[in-house]
Amino acid sequence: MPEDALPNGGAPSADPELGPRRRVSEMQAKLHRWAAADPGRRFDDLFNFVHDPATLRVAWDRVAGNQGARTPGADGRTVAWIESEIGVPVFLADVRERLKARAWRPMPVRERMIPKPGGSGKVRKLGIPRVEDRLVQAALKLVLEPVFEADFEPVSYGFRPARRAQDAIAEIHYFGTRGYRWVLDADIEAAFDNVSHLAAMDAVRARVKDKRVLELVKAFLKAGVLTEDGRYQDTHTGTPQGGILSPLIFNIVLSALDEHLHGPWKDGGEMSTNSRRTMRRYRGLPRWRLVRYADDFVVLVNGTRDDVEVLHEDVAHVLEPLGLRLSPAKTRIVDMADGFDFLGFRIQWRRKRGTNKWYVYTFIADRPLRSLKAKIRALTHRTSQLPPRDVLIRLNQIMRGWANYFKHAVAKDTFSKLEYFVWWRVVRWLRALHRWRWKDVRRWLADPRGGWRRPHADGIELFDIEAVTVTRYRYRASRIPNPWTSINHA
């Protein structure tokens, strides 16, 4: 995510905690500027930045501020335990000294199986590093990210600063309305588990010459896994989901696919200008556009189904040396008129009701809707004895986040139906909990003027998802801000 904004002017901030953040932001800006100015540069002295006290302090703040701060790794320690039993300054100083002495080694990640969204019953592996390893991973990310961001292509959106899923959807919408209506809807089989360590290290070495930093990256890849039944497993491939550094490493590896498919769009390429793209279609040659969000990606094609088949083989060829392969069962070639799901949205080319005009529409897919309803049902089960205030707080958190994510889709009707669904779930649950009759419910929800109040408990009111404003998300294209170019270098 973007760095915190710097104070105006050159005077030091009165808040001592802003000192490390400012130092790290300025360091990142310099690294990014140098990397952008010299695409072939390999950085030789990054290790000092990794164990710099300011870097470790900012990294600690990010680890402590994450939702997983209360989750222990293989050593059983949590952020709160370290703060109370060791003290943050002592802990950071100890980690720094062991890093400087090159005596630090990561522990195996603690494996945890979590259900996949959508209620399919399937699970996926989550690797939970110990807090100390999260700290060093966060420090590494602070140093490596601005370097590699200078190389990443604009068609990649996942786990990158200032970019979000809605940008990827907006790009699909933009090109879909301009004739790119054949889609390679790709699915990489167990992407994070199978990515080649050799490919990952080669990709990192392209920009990093410092052997000490390379040792740290390799150590994380080879740290191993402590399974749920207590067995240790070596990690010969993959980068565990749940590690702070894993998404960045994965993006570095997958940049090979980005560069291959987006190369013709660069200056001098076959699709670098509108006239060249038009000439390709005049000659019967396809145009394509990759849109990628981590391991989820689609290739939009202005051409024929046969053109997509050729691109399918081309993509598989690019992924093979990375240790990755497309899932035969889940990778499809679809016409946008038939629609496809991407990042929780349903995207489809269809006729506007009452007209003969066709547009690309973005709806909410079925799976996230089922997942949300399942969470609401679980919280408002008739036998639930949770305090009503706590239930409403959790419901409001879930629905606000869900609505903010989907509010740029064609969502008004869905929000209205969800409001009806959750209203009745809450009312029926509270009626069963308190053994109310319907006249008690009416008394509870009636306001002094004879109207109806929102369901409420102990000062907490149920969030009205139907009241969320649905707006169109504007395609930002190349206007997405870079978090480091605005840093004051004076």
Side-chain angles (χ1 to χ4, degrees):
M1 293 299 108
E3 301 298 327
D4 295 322
L6 296 176
N8 292 327
S13 169
D15 185 351
E17 288 300 315
L18 287 180
R21 288 203 293 268
R22 176 165 189 150
R23 174 175 167 80
V24 170
S25 293
E26 291 176 348
M27 174 270 293
Q28 289 180 310
K30 288 179 181 178
L31 289 174
H32 182 77
R33 186 170 70 250
W34 295 334
D38 186 359
R41 177 170 181 171
R42 295 181 67 210
F43 288 80
D44 191 32
D45 190 16
L46 296 177
F47 189 65
N48 290 334
F49 287 134
V50 173
H51 65 68
D52 186 282
T55 306
L56 292 175
R57 179 70 229 192
V58 173
W60 171 262
D61 290 343
R62 295 192 174 183
V63 169
N66 285 344
Q67 287 186 349
R70 293 176 294 180
T71 306
D75 63 352
R77 295 182 176 185
T78 63
V79 167
W81 187 91
I82 290 170
E83 289 174 339
S84 62
E85 299 297 325
I86 301 177
V88 175
V90 174
F91 175 73
L92 296 183
D94 175 64
V95 173
R96 181 169 186 261
E97 288 305 313
R98 284 187 286 127
L99 280 172
K100 288 175 64 178
R102 299 172 75 171
W104 180 87
R105 295 292 182 272
M107 285 185 67
V109 298
R110 183 167 68 89
E111 184 181 78
R112 184 179 175 187
M113 298 295 185
I114 62 172
K116 287 187 175 182
S120 64
K122 297 180 179 180
V123 296
R124 65 181 177 92
K125 296 178 182 178
L126 187 67
I128 305 172
R130 61 174 175 168
V131 174
E132 186 175 311
D133 297 344
R134 290 176 230 171
L135 170 70
V136 180
Q137 287 192 42
L140 270 172
K141 184 181 178 184
L142 288 170
V143 175
L144 295 178
E145 187 173 52
V147 173
F148 286 95
E149 273 292 325
D151 300 332
F152 287 162
E153 302 294 347
V155 294
S156 167
Y157 293 98
F159 304 106
R160 293 184 58 190
R163 290 168 172 258
R164 53 182 74 101
Q166 287 77 9
D167 289 310
I169 299 301
E171 179 148 352
I172 294 172
H173 192 278
Y174 179 86
F175 283 95
T177 59
R178 285 158 177 79
Y180 294 70
R181 286 194 284 274
W182 278 104
V183 181
L184 174 62
D185 182 12
D187 182 272
I188 301 177
E189 208 168 66
F192 278 82
D193 294 335
N194 292 325
V195 65
S196 164
H197 287 176
L198 178 61
M201 292 307 302
D202 286 346
V204 175
R205 284 192 193 96
R207 274 300 201 170
V208 178
K209 193 176 180 180
D210 193 325
K211 292 183 179 180
R212 298 163 296 180
V213 172
L214 294 172
E215 285 176 3
L216 288 178
V217 174
K218 186 175 182 178
F220 279 118
L221 293 175
K222 300 293 186 182
V225 173
L226 191 65
T227 64
E228 288 188 324
D229 58 5
R231 292 181 297 107
Y232 171 81
Q233 290 181 350
D234 286 324
T235 47
H236 302 292
T237 62
T239 175
Q241 294 188 64
I244 294 173
L245 194 62
S246 293
L248 176 60
I249 295 297
F250 192 82
N251 273 335
I252 292 171
V253 175
L254 261 288
S255 62
L257 177 66
D258 303 341
E259 292 163 5
H260 181 78
L261 291 180
H262 190 66
W265 284 81
K266 295 183 179 180
D267 291 344
E270 298 174 2
M271 293 186 283
S272 57
T273 64
N274 188 53
S275 60
R276 290 186 177 185
R277 293 191 291 273
T278 302
M279 183 58 68
R280 281 185 65 85
R281 291 305 297 134
Y282 178 76
R283 294 173 177 171
L285 298 174
R287 301 180 289 188
W288 61 82
R289 183 78 174 187
L290 169 70
V291 181
R292 184 174 70 83
Y293 192 95
D295 58 328
D296 293 324
F297 69 92
V298 294
V299 184
L300 311 175
V301 180
N302 185 341
T304 66
R305 183 184 180 93
D306 289 341
D307 295 326
V308 190
E309 293 279 7
V310 173
L311 277 169
H312 184 185
E313 296 299 321
D314 192 31
V315 168
H317 181 72
V318 174
L319 293 178
E320 186 177 1
L322 308 180
L324 304 173
R325 63 188 294 266
L326 295 174
S327 168
K330 297 181 181 179
T331 298
R332 306 182 305 143
I333 295 175
V334 296
D335 189 311
M336 201 173 283
D338 297 325
F340 65 99
D341 292 353
F342 189 63
L343 302 180
F345 294 89
R346 179 74 178 173
I347 303 167
Q348 190 170 17
W349 170 260
R350 62 163 60 179
R351 182 175 59 84
K352 184 178 181 180
R353 186 180 301 172
T355 72
N356 288 321
K357 296 181 179 180
W358 289 66
Y359 299 94
V360 175
Y361 287 90
T362 304
F363 304 97
I364 302 174
D366 289 338
R367 193 169 75 171
L369 188 58
R370 290 197 306 268
S371 178
L372 176 65
K373 286 185 174 181
K375 291 177 182 177
I376 293 171
R377 288 190 183 101
L379 284 167
T380 57
H381 195 274
R382 296 177 70 89
T383 60
S384 173
Q385 297 297 313
L386 292 172
R389 175 187 172 89
D390 294 347
V391 170
L392 290 182
I393 289 173
R394 185 60 185 140
L395 280 174
N396 290 350
Q397 290 171 341
I398 292 171
M399 290 194 296
R400 279 197 181 97
W402 197 90
N404 283 333
Y405 183 83
F406 287 110
K407 68 181 180 182
H408 302 296
V410 181
K412 200 65 183 175
D413 184 58
T414 303
F415 286 173
S416 177
K417 291 177 180 177
L418 276 173
E419 163 59 20
Y420 179 85
F421 172 79
V422 72
W423 192 95
W424 278 105
R425 288 292 308 185
V426 169
V427 168
R428 284 170 178 158
W429 169 60
L430 286 174
R431 183 173 176 240
L433 181 68
H434 297 298
R435 298 181 180 178
W436 283 341
R437 292 173 294 179
W438 279 110
K439 68 176 184 179
D440 300 315
V441 174
R442 287 195 295 270
R443 187 182 306 116
W444 167 51
L445 294 178
D447 67 19
R449 294 174 295 179
W452 289 87
R453 294 181 59 188
R454 303 283 303 157
H456 56 277
D458 298 326
I460 302 298
E461 193 173 84
L462 180 65
F463 174 67
D464 185 1
I465 196 170
E466 189 176 12
V468 174
T469 302
V470 175
T471 60
R472 182 177 176 181
Y473 190 88
R474 297 296 176 183
Y475 176 47
R476 297 193 291 168
S478 59
R479 298 185 299 275
I480 298 177
N482 185 291
W484 301 296
T485 54
S486 60
I487 301 294
N488 180 8
H489 305 299

